[in-house]
Amino acid sequence: MKKVLVLGSGAREVAITRSVSQSSIKNAIFCISKDINPQINDICEDYHVCDISDIGNVVSYSKEKEIDLVIVGPENPLASGVVNALERAGVKCVGPKKEVAMIETSKSFARMIVDLCCPEKNPQRKEFVSIGGVKNFMEILGGEYVIKFDGLMGGKGVRVSGEHLKNINEGLNYANEIVSGGGKFLVEEKLIGEEFSLMSFVDGKTCKHMPVVQDHKRAFDGDTGPNTGGMGTYSFGNHSLPFLTKEDILEAQKTNELVAKQLLKHTGSPYVGVLYGGFMLTKNGVKVIEYNARFGDPEAMNVLSILKSDFLSICISLIEGKLEKEEVLFDELATVCKYVVPVGYPNNPAKGFEVFCDQNDPSLFLASVMLKNQKLLACGSRTAAVIGKNKDIWKAEAFSEEGVSNISGKLFHRKDIGTKDLIDSRVKRMKELLG
Ligand code: AMP
Ligand code: GLY
């Protein structure tokens, strides 16, 4: 019997707990999070309500319950060193230690690691702690730049010229805002092309890759509006995307492998967990946009929904360093995942309103919700994800829309994710870019 503790209570953690519960290895699931997710509550043996970054609390609960294995969902507990503390207490974790999780928590660290193992994958960039020299560097980049707050901002600390920043002055204002808060930032060359995510299971030595997925960071249809945590994702049945070649995927896989190796070399700590590479295919090849130290959200729903192999068995291999011998196979099905989010999300989201849905629907993954007086209330972040899967991606898209239509509340979603129009336009744009 394996006692598995999951940290976090979003849609990604619903996907993780469901996958663990489907294992052929006998298991009992425990969960810690600030709010009770009713779908996780239905599956788990015990639910402990506390802040998942409260390390002392997480460690004492794990010891009390004699947990064999902890799966860390989101990035914040990784950043605060929950894995270091658990491992010191003898509890194994699927998730990297703080010093290795810096691949996500510090954008300048991530760029440095990529520079050390595959510099050609990095865009031009410079780090700043003050405003001096920023304007000059923006001009060197031809006014096409990206400003990134150098820390965790839930995907919302990045502003792109021509999209969020209309001119150099707006860029300087954002940089000043960061400086006056005492923060560091990066100014990067603006990469142009199509983004994709490639996640790999890593046991410190071996990487086993998952199907590539495309996320949609912008809030509104047509890729407009502010950046969000991710509004929805799709993946194709052949585990590729229609604008990528086999070579592009191999390059991204190789990059994750090099980064995992470099992290061990640089920090002395093996990377154990899911390594998430965010890439962009540009006319100069595959480039790194960012790294995350965990499953993507929503990407976790896409890949775990089609994982054929035993997820808990993979997790055990990760902590035992035996991934090489583990089979990691996925069904050849397309997936489309759409998030419904509160009206006003991400900048000024409605909160506290009631959400109506069928909680027992296996294609539904509740996220930022809480139960109060038997009512399901939205807490303000992404509310729920719905997945459609099928051999045919257009059918998968239709299934996800059908699922969304069964949820009601003060919510909206992106109707264009996974549609033929949007995917065709991306393929066309990529063809034009590659010439
Ligand atoms: P990140 O938090 O680093 O993933 O950035 C959020 C989003 O900003 C990415 O998904 C991209 O859409 C965009 N972005 C980040 N860095 C760049 C870059 N160097 N060039 C173009 N777009 C970028
Ligand atoms: N889907 C993007 C992320 O998980 O950060």
Side-chain angles (χ1 to χ4, degrees):
M1 161 77 100
K2 287 282 175 197
K3 290 186 170 180
V4 181
L5 170 63
V6 176
L7 298 186
S9 63
R12 165 183 50 206
E13 290 74 27
V14 173
I16 290 172
T17 45
R18 281 181 180 162
S19 297
V20 172
S21 72
Q22 285 156 11
S23 173
S24 62
I25 301 166
K26 207 160 173 249
N27 64 80
I29 302 173
F30 298 78
C31 181
I32 301 186
S33 68
K34 219 161 66 212
D35 296 306
I36 292 188
N37 182 318
Q39 289 181 318
I40 297 179
N41 200 31
D42 283 351
I43 305 176
C44 71
E45 177 116 352
D46 186 57
Y47 210 120
H48 183 58
V49 177
C50 88
D51 180 349
I52 50 176
S53 294
D54 177 348
I55 295 181
N57 207 325
V58 172
V59 172
S60 59
Y61 179 80
S62 304
K63 295 302 283 178
E64 180 202 324
K65 296 292 176 191
E66 300 178 315
I67 297 296
D68 296 299
L69 153 68
V70 176
I71 305 176
V72 186
E75 60 276 24
N76 297 75
L78 296 172
S80 49
V82 84
V83 174
N84 304 56
L86 282 164
E87 302 225 325
R88 268 198 305 273
V91 186
K92 292 280 194 184
C93 299
V94 174
K97 288 188 180 154
K98 185 180 175 172
E99 58 274 24
V100 207
M102 272 179 73
I103 193 73
E104 167 161 13
T105 58
S106 164
K107 292 191 186 287
S108 53
F109 177 84
R111 289 294 182 207
M112 184 262 290
I113 291 291
V114 172
D115 257 355
L116 289 172
C117 59
C118 44
E120 72 288 355
K121 295 283 180 293
N122 263 340
Q124 279 192 71
R125 71 183 198 281
K126 229 172 175 170
E127 292 164 33
F128 294 94
V129 286
S130 70
I131 207 72
V134 172
K135 187 162 186 258
N136 183 37
F137 190 59
M138 286 171 170
E139 283 164 358
I140 289 172
L141 296 176
E144 296 277 323
Y145 61 88
V146 176
I147 300 184
K148 297 185 165 184
F149 175 78
D150 192 11
L152 286 182
M153 285 284 278
K156 293 155 210 146
V158 176
R159 302 214 186 145
V160 180
S161 70
E163 294 172 36
H164 312 102
L165 303 169
K166 297 279 170 275
N167 50 49
I168 290 213
N169 267 343
E170 285 191 16
L172 289 172
N173 286 344
Y174 182 48
N176 266 318
E177 216 178 278
I178 299 175
V179 171
S180 55
K184 283 201 296 179
F185 62 99
L186 263 68
V187 178
E188 290 185 356
E189 165 195 357
K190 178 180 171 181
L191 298 168
I192 298 182
E194 279 304 320
E195 288 182 54
F196 61 99
S197 318
L198 172 75
M199 299 182 289
S200 311
F201 291 109
V202 188
D203 72 349
K205 313 181 285 288
T206 303
C207 287
K208 295 254 165 123
H209 308 292
M210 304 184 215
V212 292
V213 178
Q214 190 172 44
D215 188 14
H216 300 69
K217 292 262 166 79
R218 305 295 192 269
F220 310 130
D221 279 18
D223 289 326
T224 54
N227 269 336
T228 69
M231 292 296 289
T233 32
Y234 67 87
S235 64
F236 270 61
N238 62 358
H239 303 162
S240 181
L241 294 169
F243 49 84
L244 294 177
T245 62
K246 244 191 197 123
E247 288 68 38
D248 296 328
I249 293 182
L250 285 174
E251 244 186 87
Q253 292 179 340
K254 184 82 201 155
T255 306
N256 280 6
E257 288 162 17
L258 288 170
V259 164
K261 211 182 259 173
Q262 189 64 44
L263 280 168
L264 173 59
K265 200 165 152 195
H266 192 81
T267 66
S269 271
Y271 189 101
V272 177
V274 173
L275 182 65
Y276 170 126
F279 296 96
M280 191 182 281
L281 177 62
T282 72
K283 69 175 184 329
N284 300 316
V286 172
K287 303 279 177 185
V288 169
I289 291 277
E290 64 163 344
Y291 264 96
N292 292 326
R294 50 171 173 82
F295 270 118
D297 185 353
E299 288 91 338
M301 277 71 87
N302 300 81
V303 297
L304 291 176
S305 296
I306 57 167
L307 179 64
K308 232 180 2 197
S309 307
D310 191 306
F311 179 62
L312 181 52
S313 175
I314 294 173
C315 291
I316 294 168
S317 289
L318 289 179
I319 60 169
E320 290 181 350
K322 293 181 180 157
L323 186 62
E324 200 182 347
K325 295 202 181 78
E326 189 73 33
E327 220 174 40
V328 179
L329 298 173
F330 295 85
D331 288 319
E332 290 184 358
L333 292 175
T335 59
V336 176
C337 184
K338 303 205 189 201
Y339 256 114
V340 290
V341 301
V343 168
Y345 174 83
N347 294 334
N348 191 20
K351 284 179 197 165
F353 59 87
E354 194 167 359
V355 178
F356 302 93
C357 59
D358 174 6
Q359 289 178 34
N360 296 319
D361 178 352
S363 69
L364 175 79
F365 301 75
L366 291 174
S368 174
V369 293
M370 64 185 283
L371 268 179
K372 200 171 176 187
N373 304 327
Q374 312 291 332
K375 285 186 179 165
L376 192 64
L377 303 181
C379 300
S381 201
R382 294 176 293 179
T383 307
V386 178
I387 196 132
K389 58 177 180 175
N390 195 273
K391 278 204 166 74
D392 175 349
I393 180 136
W394 319 126
K395 282 194 182 136
E397 194 275 330
F399 285 141
S400 70
E401 278 294 325
E402 198 182 312
V404 166
S405 71
N406 294 327
I407 308 171
S408 53
K410 269 194 240 168
L411 299 160
F412 77 95
H413 75 287
R414 276 188 61 169
K415 293 196 174 63
D416 60 347
I417 293 169
T419 59
K420 189 162 186 334
D421 277 357
L422 187 63
I423 294 175
D424 282 352
S425 74
R426 293 201 165 155
V427 173
K428 187 165 163 253
R429 207 169 60 201
M430 200 65 230
K431 262 195 194 136
E432 284 165 5
L433 194 66
L434 296 179

